Amino acid sequence: MITKIIALVIGIALIGFISWWFFGKHEKEAVTADVADNVQEVTVKVDGGYSPETVVLKKGVPAVINFYRKDPSSCLEQVVFSDFGISKMLPENENTKIEINTDKAGEYGFACGMNMFHGKVIIK
Amino acid sequence: MTIKSRFWISLIFSLPMFFEMILKPFGWMLPGHTYTMFILTTIVMAISARPFLHSAWAAFKNHHANMDTLVAIGTATAYVYSIYAMFTGQDVFFESAAFVITFILLGQVFEEKMRNNANSSVEKLLNLQVKEAEVIVDGKSQMVPLDDIKVGDVIRVRPGQKIAVDGEIIEGSSTVDESMITGESMPVTKKVGDKVIGSTLNNTGTFLFKADKVGKDTMLAQIVEMVKKAQNSHAPIQKTADKIANIFVPVVLIIAILTYLVWYVFLGNSNISSLLFAVSVVIIACPCALGIATPTALMVGTGRSAKMGILIKDGEVLEATDKIDTVVFDKTGTITEGKPKVTDIIGNKDEVLQIAASLEKNSEHPLATAIMDKAIEQQLELFEVNEFMAVEGKGITGSIAEQRVVVGNTKLIEDWNIFQELQEKMKNLQSEAKTVVVVGKNDEVIGLIAIQDIPKATSAKAISDLEKRGLKTVMLTGDNQQVAEVIANEVGIDEVIADVLPQDKAHHIEMLQDQGRNVAFVGDGINDAPALTTANVGIAMGAGTDIAIESGGIVLVKNDLEDVVKALMMSEKTFNRIKLNLFWAFIYNGLGIPVAAGIFSGIGLTLSPELAGLAMAFSSISVMISSLMLNRVKIA
């Protein structure tokens, strides 16, 4: 009987934790790219998602986003910018450069090949 | 480590446990039983499952959950619980963890293979390019790499060679196999002044051509660019699936915990079987099939269309095409050839044509071109014309062998005698919406030539095919009502909107849309841009090498109305496949979760974690297969 009560308490606590952890608001910072020699560059680490998830780029300055994939999961092996028609395979533990056309301001999403992890680029 | 080697490792170390499972009823057990299983499973978890665990943990830190989370939690639960059970002398289920990993990796191996398969169509297109070409510089030929060819370069192409870039023939003639770009299976005859497309195959002759598009501007490069964009685009229908996928995994975890609690705490089931139900729920629920349902179908569908010379811009266009109920055609150049042709000759055929062609030899008028083409086709010799004189707005007069000859419209012969019979024939021809040219000799009309912009050979068939599909067809033209109706009747168009100024085309499309119709507009990409963008789906017919990619949602490389039918069919098939895939993916999870949770255990229907892993792998594979089947559906 005691074990059942303990199981129940732990179970309910776990449910509470999952709801808070995954559905609660967890603010994440946007990162602005560094501009040097008229090129802006920023690195996004790919490990269980994208960090940073939001990248801010300056309009009109050629931009390069380096995707560095540490995650071995095939879930994240591809990154897709559907607005730009870019789709690149990301080799593990390597830097993959992706050039972004910054002519038009706006918010552009990117995602993994299965569209489960998301990030976005804000051009302004 | 590749997915493949992870799969093999996990298979090899799982097999002994598989044998034990089968042979146990016959009294055979692994030497060392529980401890051997512990060691085997530990190897599988440490090597094959490690990436799942890593990814799940990394995602967790980012407040994310994905399919790796489910695999990791499901197998880790089974593994950790079994270790605890091993030390306390209870039943273990190490094999579940190992089997699940094996099955899921098996699914991923297949999926990877099929994805490469689906992905390869674009790369195949690029492989069509030649590496170098024979460029003529200062009269000498030299081999130049593809990237160094410039606009204006003169390139020689020999029989059996591929044409390097887009250009125009300046010397020689040949037949060219353009099937790889346009989907047209018959070789096309090319002579001086004709355009050639890069990467097509020269058959018989040798010719020189001047490059006018290189690098990113070539037709092939543009096609590849467009297909790539389409394959990475999203269909609006997918949005729901995306939303679900985002909250799916945490919800599943909660359901799994509830499953465990209900079985163990409230129904008084044993700890181990309650745990197995929970693990099954976690494993069956992987939303992979949901995630790949749309992208794979889109990839295969747009790739296959491109091979037929039909370029579909993105998933949005595909979805819009599915809802089309009215197809509006521009007349000139779309339904018709776009250039007038001689249809009838009345009188002494050869003489009439000979005189007319001799007089029109130097004229640039479209009607003159039609007459000249006919004369060349009939291989007629032309006479020498003296006293040549063009009569403004009427025609041409001159003399051939001392005889006065004329060719022109009726105004030219106002005061001439014309036989009753010819007059009637003229009326008949005019009522068929043909332009009639009269030919006269020595103040007497000797014959008539009827000229018309005739419908393309395939137009009537294409329009009847569209009607069979339940679509309304409308023709939009600047011609007058009478002419327009004759053509419309000939090809079987339902509705005619005549006397439309070019700039008003878009407005007429809007009016149709206001009646609640979903309109596709078919026109050439250059002049009809506003109408193409106004329509729900703009279908731009390719004109030679100039494909105006921006203007149309669908671009047809070939100038053939049958491709409109094919494009609509292909869109419909692809979109239906997306719906089917989504449906099955939802069903898998929708039915799989309750079964795994043991809701139907009363009637003996349960799902062990191993079976759940197998079903999960199978669901992704079946969606992939379903998408690849698009390569095989029949497109008439």
Side-chain angles (χ1 to χ4, degrees):
Chain A
M1 194 59 206
I2 286 289
T3 48
K4 285 193 181 180
I5 290 170
I6 293 172
L8 189 63
V9 170
I10 292 177
I12 290 169
L14 264 179
I15 291 174
F17 173 74
I18 290 170
S19 315
W20 168 77
W21 186 259
F22 292 111
F23 299 139
K25 273 220 181 316
H26 301 278
E27 285 298 325
K28 265 166 265 176
E29 253 175 86
V31 169
T32 308
D34 305 322
V35 185
D37 296 334
N38 200 33
V39 174
Q40 45 185 340
E41 215 169 331
V42 65
T43 299
V44 173
K45 196 175 74 176
V46 182
D47 194 10
Y50 302 102
S51 53
E53 278 188 349
T54 307
V55 172
V56 181
L57 300 176
K58 226 194 201 125
K59 192 183 153 193
V61 182
V64 173
I65 302 181
N66 296 306
F67 281 89
Y68 188 79
R69 174 170 161 233
K70 279 177 76 181
D71 197 319
S73 160
S74 61
C75 241
L76 282 156
E77 68 184 351
Q78 195 183 15
V79 65
V80 180
F81 286 80
S82 55
D83 298 308
F84 299 109
I86 299 172
S87 141
K88 270 257 172 89
M89 296 307 274
L90 308 174
E92 206 180 324
N93 294 320
E94 262 179 53
N95 234 342
T96 308
K97 280 187 191 299
I98 292 184
E99 282 170 35
I100 302 289
N101 179 342
T102 53
D103 291 349
K104 268 194 216 149
E107 274 193 33
Y108 305 96
F110 60 89
C112 70
M114 287 184 182
N115 211 8
M116 292 200 52
F117 291 103
H118 300 111
K120 69 182 169 200
V121 173
I122 299 173
I123 298 174
K124 61 184 179 189
Chain B
M1 195 181 295
T2 63
I3 293 178
K4 225 180 191 161
S5 44
R6 280 164 58 198
F7 164 69
W8 284 112
I9 288 170
S10 102
L11 180 70
I12 290 164
F13 289 99
S14 300
L15 272 180
M17 292 187 271
F18 180 70
F19 288 131
E20 192 197 81
M21 198 174 82
I22 302 231
L23 297 174
K24 212 167 163 184
F26 306 104
W28 186 84
M29 283 228 245
L30 274 177
H33 186 58
T34 312
Y35 292 100
T36 313
M37 283 167 91
F38 165 65
I39 292 164
L40 291 171
T41 308
T42 305
I43 295 169
V44 172
M45 291 300 283
I47 299 174
S48 299
R50 197 188 56 85
F52 291 131
L53 301 171
H54 170 112
S55 178
W57 178 241
F60 177 79
K61 284 189 292 186
N62 285 337
H63 302 276
H64 283 308
N66 62 346
M67 68 156 276
D68 293 333
T69 311
L70 294 175
V71 176
I73 289 188
T75 55
T77 309
Y79 178 67
V80 172
Y81 172 81
S82 296
I83 293 175
Y84 160 79
M86 180 173 75
F87 288 122
T88 53
Q90 297 171 51
D91 280 345
V92 297
F93 54 110
F94 282 117
E95 73 280 9
S96 293
F99 290 174
V100 165
I101 296 289
T102 309
F103 287 139
I104 285 173
L105 285 172
L106 174 72
Q108 289 193 352
V109 168
F110 273 106
E111 202 185 301
E112 197 180 32
K113 210 173 173 160
M114 286 191 266
R115 189 155 27 165
N116 292 340
N117 224 337
N119 222 337
S120 60
S121 62
V122 180
E123 263 123 60
K124 274 190 199 141
L125 281 174
L126 275 181
N127 286 341
L128 293 172
Q129 284 181 322
V130 289
K131 303 278 173 295
E132 50 182 15
E134 190 181 338
V135 176
I136 312 288
V137 187
D138 302 329
K140 272 181 253 159
S141 71
Q142 59 184 78
M143 297 310 282
V144 171
L146 184 67
D147 293 339
D148 295 345
I149 296 173
K150 294 181 297 292
V151 170
D153 279 355
V154 173
I155 299 164
R156 176 180 289 142
V157 187
R158 297 172 190 277
Q161 276 184 344
K162 269 189 184 166
I163 297 162
V165 293
D166 297 355
E168 192 179 307
I169 297 189
I170 53 169
E171 193 187 310
S173 66
S174 183
T175 56
V176 176
D177 176 4
E178 294 187 335
S179 58
M180 54 293 274
I181 302 285
T182 63
E184 170 65 61
S185 53
M186 294 292 290
V188 187
T189 309
K190 300 275 180 180
K191 53 184 193 306
V192 172
D194 285 345
K195 296 270 185 192
V196 289
I197 309 169
S199 300
T200 56
L201 186 68
N202 178 28
N203 278 352
T204 45
T206 302
F207 61 86
L208 295 178
F209 77 97
K210 199 183 213 168
D212 59 17
K213 280 188 185 141
V214 299
K216 269 196 218 161
D217 301 327
T218 63
M219 183 123 136
L220 182 74
Q222 290 191 57
I223 290 176
V224 168
E225 182 66 13
M226 190 167 177
V227 173
K228 257 194 194 161
K229 273 198 177 155
Q231 292 192 327
N232 293 321
S233 69
H234 288 175
I237 191 174
Q238 196 188 346
K239 289 212 177 98
T240 335
D242 286 353
K243 267 188 202 141
I244 292 173
N246 281 337
I247 59 156
F248 194 77
V249 175
V251 168
V252 165
L253 291 177
I254 291 171
I255 293 175
I257 294 170
L258 289 174
T259 304
Y260 172 79
L261 291 180
V262 168
W263 278 112
Y264 181 57
V265 178
F266 298 109
L267 298 177
N269 211 346
S270 75
N271 189 21
I272 184 163
S273 82
S274 309
L275 208 55
L276 278 177
F277 281 126
V279 171
S280 296
V281 168
V282 172
I283 298 297
I284 190 92
C286 286
C288 286
L290 216 53
I292 61 175
T294 316
T296 52
L298 211 55
M299 190 166 272
V300 177
T302 50
R304 165 139 189 231
S305 308
K307 273 187 218 148
M308 297 192 290
I310 297 163
L311 309 176
I312 299 170
K313 202 178 199 172
D314 55 25
E316 221 160 303
V317 169
L318 207 73
E319 199 166 329
T321 308
D322 188 61
K323 298 196 182 83
I324 292 301
D325 51 32
T326 306
V327 185
V328 180
F329 296 92
D330 176 43
K331 190 199 115 203
T332 310
T334 303
I335 291 178
T336 65
E337 298 273 3
K339 53 179 185 190
K341 273 197 173 159
V342 171
T343 55
D344 308 78
I345 302 172
I346 311 290
N348 179 340
K349 283 191 180 153
D350 281 357
E351 192 194 5
V352 168
L353 189 59
Q354 237 166 342
I355 291 175
S358 304
L359 281 167
E360 298 276 21
K361 196 164 47 186
N362 298 312
S363 171
E364 298 270 303
H365 196 274
L367 295 180
T369 318
I371 291 173
M372 288 307 297
D373 283 348
K374 186 76 181 172
I376 291 168
E377 187 192 310
Q378 306 265 342
Q379 295 180 328
L380 291 178
E381 226 175 284
L382 299 186
F383 303 119
E384 194 172 324
V385 181
N386 296 314
E387 298 163 58
F388 180 90
M389 197 173 77
V391 186
E392 180 71 38
K394 291 183 179 174
I396 298 164
T397 67
S399 75
I400 293 170
E402 308 286 308
Q403 302 192 45
R404 205 165 100 80
V405 288
V406 301
V407 58
N409 56 26
T410 44
K411 284 184 204 143
L412 194 65
I413 46 141
E414 256 161 1
D415 47 347
W416 288 24
N417 289 327
I418 180 160
F419 289 116
Q420 186 68 31
E421 195 194 328
L422 275 181
Q423 206 138 26
E424 259 169 39
K425 284 213 168 117
M426 188 170 355
K427 266 203 190 123
N428 284 342
L429 290 169
Q430 279 165 341
S431 70
E432 287 168 28
K434 289 169 182 168
T435 308
V436 180
V437 173
V438 292
V439 180
K441 192 166 84 175
N442 295 334
D443 296 342
E444 196 185 311
V445 175
I446 59 159
L448 307 173
I449 298 176
I451 293 168
Q452 192 182 29
D453 182 13
I454 57 166
K456 289 177 199 162
T458 51
S459 294
K461 167 97 170 47
I463 283 159
S464 88
D465 283 348
L466 287 176
E467 259 156 39
K468 268 185 224 144
R469 298 175 64 78
L471 296 163
K472 272 243 174 244
T473 51
V474 179
M475 185 169 92
L476 213 55
T477 174
D479 290 349
N480 65 49
Q481 191 76 26
Q482 190 203 352
V483 172
E485 260 167 26
V486 171
I487 298 280
N489 285 337
E490 206 171 317
V491 294
I493 289 261
D494 293 333
E495 202 178 317
V496 173
I497 305 176
D499 298 311
V500 180
L501 296 171
Q503 62 269 30
D504 287 344
K505 281 180 185 168
H507 177 64
H508 282 277
I509 304 248
E510 265 169 31
M511 293 204 311
L512 288 169
Q513 284 169 330
D514 288 343
Q515 294 168 20
R517 302 207 214 173
N518 284 309
V519 181
F521 177 77
V522 188
D524 66 60
I526 303 135
N527 307 323
D528 297 329
L532 285 168
T533 20
T534 307
N536 301 64
V537 176
I539 303 180
M541 304 267 276
T545 50
D546 292 310
I547 41 172
I549 279 177
E550 264 71 44
S551 50
I554 297 178
V555 176
L556 306 178
V557 178
K558 233 184 320 166
N559 211 345
D560 182 345
L561 275 195
E562 291 265 30
D563 281 356
V564 173
V565 186
K566 282 189 196 159
L568 293 184
M569 264 176 99
M570 201 62 219
S571 301
E572 186 194 292
K573 298 260 189 230
T574 308
F575 189 65
N576 284 347
R577 190 59 50 138
I578 290 174
K579 283 197 277 193
L580 186 76
N581 285 352
L582 285 174
F583 172 77
W584 282 115
F586 272 115
I587 287 286
Y588 252 111
N589 289 321
L591 283 182
I593 293 174
V595 173
I599 287 177
F600 303 111
S601 63
I603 54 168
L605 188 62
T606 57
L607 213 52
S608 66
E610 298 93 300
L611 276 181
L614 194 61
M616 172 19 241
F618 185 69
S619 80
S620 314
I621 293 175
S622 60
V623 164
M624 282 300 301
I625 290 176
S626 157
S627 293
L628 283 172
M629 292 280 274
L630 269 177
N631 267 326
R632 310 215 173 269
V633 292
K634 213 172 145 236
I635 301 292

